[in-house]
Amino acid sequence: MREKFTFGLIAGHLWIQLIMLGSILLQTFMVYPNIFHDIPHSFELGMEFMAVAAPNTYFPPLGFLSILTGIVAVVLAWRYQRVKWWVLASMLMIVLEGATSMIFEWPRNEIMFIEGANVHSVEFLTKTAREFLVVHGFRVLCNVAGSVLIFIGFLKYVRK
C-alpha cells in the first residue's frame, strides 16, 4: 500500500511540476511579450485583459500545491537512496523559484501594475520591467531544473 501511495505522490508532484512548467512557459512566450512591448501603455492593456483572473490568482495556489506535494514526495521517497536526492533537489528548485518570486517579482509587480505611470516615470518602469524579466528568466530556469529533477526522480523510483 505504501508503495502505491509513494508512486502516486511522486507521480502527482511530477504532474503538478509539468503543469507549472507549461504555465510559466506560456506566460513567458505568449503573455509577457504582450505586456512588456509598449511600457506603460501595455501595462494598462494587460491589466484590462487580466481583470477577471491573472497570474497572481493562478500561480500562488499552484505553487503552494507544488511545495506541499513536493514535501510529501520527499518524505515518502526518503527511504529510497537512488530517488530521494532527485526529489529533494527538485523541491529545492521549486522553493528557490517561489522565494525569488516573493522577494524580487512581487514588489516589481506592485511598481509596474499597481503604482504604474501615476507614480513612476516611464524610464523607471522600463528599468523595473527589465529587472523583472531577468529575474523571470532565473525563475524559468529553476522551474525547468525542478521539472527535470522530479522526472528523473520519478524514473528512478519506477525502476528501483
Side-chain angles (χ1 to χ4, degrees), residues 61-80:
L62 188 61
F64 175 74
L65 188 59
S66 173
I67 290 171
L68 185 64
T69 60
I71 290 169
V72 176
V74 168
V75 169
L76 292 174
W78 201 255
R79 63 186 237 175
Y80 303 100

Side-chain angles (χ1 to χ4, degrees), residues 142-157:
C142 286
N143 200 291
V144 168
S147 297
V148 168
L149 291 165
I150 190 59
F151 182 70
I152 292 170
F154 176 75
L155 290 178
K156 298 263 184 201
Y157 180 79

Side-chain angles (χ1 to χ4, degrees), residues 85-118:
W85 299 114
W86 295 100
V87 177
L88 180 63
S90 170
M91 191 54 214
L92 292 175
M93 288 292 104
I94 298 314
V95 168
L96 182 60
E97 178 189 358
T100 301
S101 294
M102 287 184 269
I103 294 168
F104 295 103
E105 300 284 89
W106 293 3
R108 284 163 181 79
N109 278 336
E110 177 99 9
I111 291 168
M112 294 183 296
F113 300 110
I114 305 301
E115 297 168 357
N118 294 334

